[in-house]
Structure formats: structure tokens, C-alpha cells
Amino acid sequence: MSSDSHTRPIYRSLVDRFGFPHLLTTTLVLVAATILLGVAAKATGSGLACEANWPQCDAGPFNLFPANLPSFYEWIHRFVAMFAGFAIVGSALAAWRLEDVDDRVASLVILGMILTPIQVYLGGQTVLQYQMEILSLHFWTAILIFAMFVIATVLVWRGSFSVRTITGAFVVGLLTLPAHVALSPTEFGVVTDYSPTVQLLQYGVTLTLIGAVIVATMVTRWHAGSRLLSGLTYGTTGLALAVAYFGRQVVMNFSMTIDRLYLVLTGVLALAFVVAIAVSRRQSGGR
């Protein structure tokens, strides 16, 4: 997007040094890390360790000397979230000021910046109130921000993708499903103790699944001419979001109906991935 002559050199020098695509990729990594650390903090009850103190915890300014291990986890989460916030703001300002940044990228990143203070507020409320509704809203807002930055990052790296990327993304998505089921607290789950480590791994798999279907969908629009493949990408995206949603519901609710619905959706998604892999390989000539 356009910029004035006074601010352009500042942003241009930063982007020339680090590269806007790399800045955006780093921001995406920080957003993902913030989400996973937030999951770890919730799983360990670290927010409660701060005794409803926010943004500080239990050790003065910046919580430089946490009183115990749980408060340390919460501090790490807030610390990384702070850097993620700075990166989001920096990416948004750069996207707004630099004239060679795609308007779609700028819009996504700026919207992510607008959502960030809302997410920060919700994060504070999870400590001050710790209600399930607030926790869920906090989580899904984070997923929305993550998805927007995945889309923006794929857009800026568009020239690096090919038809084979579609197959690779579908393969990654397919590989996440057994892990997602195994790490879920269902009757078919491998784990018997839904520990903080298991939760962290499961949500890491969830982010990977969401990222994979976004990449597959976007690259298919650019490089695939098959209506069947396009339909499969949209279908897998919808199913992946449903699996992510019901996978979380499995954790939040002890319901056999939800467990079975989650497993059925996962099975359908796995089948869709297999078909999509075959179709995309055929389109790319089996390479």
C-alpha cells in the first residue's frame, strides 16, 4: 500500500534488511508459539497461580522473579505474547506503509492487529475470571488471528509454491489425523492421562492441520484447473475446522455422542485427504 516520503525510508530500510516475507513469517511463528504457550498455561493452571493478577503476576514489574513454576509458565506465555504483539503491529505498519505489499496481505495483517488488543483483553479475563466461555472465545480468537497470518504469509510467498505443494499439504494434513485422534481423550485415544504435554502436542497438531488445509486451498486456486480438486480442497478445509472444533469439544465435554461425531468427521476427512492426494498427484503428473 502507499506511504508518504517521510516514513517510507524507515520501513524500507527495515524491510530491505530483514525482508517483509521473513518479518511476516516470524510473526506467524510467534503467534503460533503464543497459542501453544497459552494452552500450556491453561493446562497447568498457571493463570490461577497469579492469583487473578494481570498483567503482572506475583513477582513485581514484568514478573522477573516468578514465585513458582506455574507462575513462570504464565510469565513465559505473557512474555512471548508481548513480542508477538509487537511483531503483529510491526507487520501491520510495514504492510500499510510499503506500496509493494499486496492489499489483501495488508488488510489481513491490519485486521490481525485490530483483533490483538481484543485478544489481550480476553487473555486478561481468563486470569481474572477463568470462565469456560471466555477461555473458548480467547482460544478461537487466537485461531482466527493465526489463520489470517497463515493466509497472509502464503500470499507473500506465492511464488515459492507449485502444484506439488498441494499434494504435500494434503499429505501433512493426513498425517496429523492419527496423531490428533491418539492425543484426544476418547475411548480410542492412546493416552490415558490428558497431561499438559499431551494437550500441547494435540493443539500443535491442530495448528498444523489448519495451516495445511489453508495452504492446499490457496495453492489449488493458483495452480490447479480441476474442479474436483478445488471442491476437495474446500471440503477438506470445512472438515478440518469441524475436526478442530469437535476435537476441542471432546476435551471440554465428556460425551460419547461428541466423541463419535468427532471420530466420524476425522474418518471422513482422512478419506477426503486420500482422494485429494491421488487427484493432485495425477494433475502434477505423478511427480
Side-chain angles (χ1 to χ4, degrees):
M1 300 184 72
S2 62
S3 63
D4 57 67
S5 59
H6 296 289
T7 56
R8 184 184 303 174
I10 299 175
Y11 288 99
R12 175 58 63 188
S13 63
L14 289 173
V15 173
D16 285 344
R17 182 174 180 180
F18 299 105
F20 181 74
H22 291 92
L23 171 62
L24 200 55
T25 303
T26 301
T27 303
L28 174 61
V29 171
L30 287 171
V31 169
T34 301
I35 294 173
L36 295 179
L37 287 171
V39 170
K42 179 186 75 68
T44 56
S46 298
L48 299 178
C50 293
E51 298 179 352
N53 293 318
W54 190 90
Q56 298 180 11
C57 188
D58 54 12
F62 305 108
N63 197 37
L64 294 177
F65 302 99
N68 49 54
L69 190 59
S71 63
F72 175 76
Y73 286 145
E74 179 66 16
W75 172 76
I76 286 292
H77 169 53
R78 297 182 189 182
F79 190 73
V80 174
M82 177 182 68
F83 277 100
F86 289 151
I88 289 172
V89 172
S91 297
L93 290 176
W96 178 44
R97 295 292 187 179
L98 297 175
E99 59 186 11
D100 56 346
V101 173
D102 190 312
D103 286 349
R104 294 170 297 176
V105 174
S107 298
L108 287 165
V109 177
I110 291 172
L111 181 56
M113 182 184 69
I114 293 172
L115 287 175
T116 297
I118 299 174
Q119 179 69 348
V120 171
Y121 171 78
L122 291 172
Q125 292 305 303
T126 63
V127 175
L128 299 175
Q129 299 187 42
Y130 204 79
Q131 297 179 3
M132 299 311 298
E133 294 80 5
I134 295 176
L135 287 171
S136 294
L137 186 57
H138 182 52
F139 173 77
W140 289 111
T141 303
I143 292 297
L144 177 59
I145 295 173
F146 171 77
M148 289 191 298
F149 273 89
V150 171
I151 295 171
T153 303
V154 174
L155 283 170
V156 299
W157 290 104
R158 177 173 179 171
S160 303
F161 301 119
S162 65
V163 176
R164 286 184 292 181
T165 304
I166 304 171
T167 304
F170 283 135
V171 169
V172 171
L174 179 62
L175 293 176
T176 64
L177 296 182
H180 205 279
V181 172
L183 294 169
S184 297
T186 67
E187 57 181 331
F188 297 100
V190 174
V191 297
T192 56
D193 179 21
Y194 196 59
S195 65
T197 301
V198 171
Q199 294 183 51
L200 187 64
L201 290 173
Q202 187 192 36
Y203 281 101
V205 170
T206 299
L207 294 183
T208 303
L209 172 61
I210 293 173
V213 294
I214 289 175
V215 171
T217 300
M218 295 181 67
V219 179
T220 297
R221 292 185 61 187
W222 298 330
H223 295 287
S226 168
R227 290 185 178 181
L228 174 59
L229 187 57
S230 297
L232 285 168
T233 56
Y234 289 120
T236 53
T237 299
L239 285 168
L241 292 175
V243 167
Y245 173 78
F246 283 102
R248 182 172 171 82
Q249 292 303 307
V250 165
V251 176
M252 309 296 286
N253 302 280
F254 297 98
S255 169
M256 188 65 68
T257 301
I258 293 178
D259 287 0
R260 290 174 178 173
L261 180 57
Y262 161 69
L263 293 171
V264 168
L265 287 170
T266 304
V268 174
L269 178 57
L271 179 60
F273 275 140
V274 170
V275 175
I277 290 169
V279 173
S280 63
R281 282 181 59 83
R282 188 183 310 121
Q283 181 158 332
S284 62
R287 296 189 298 272

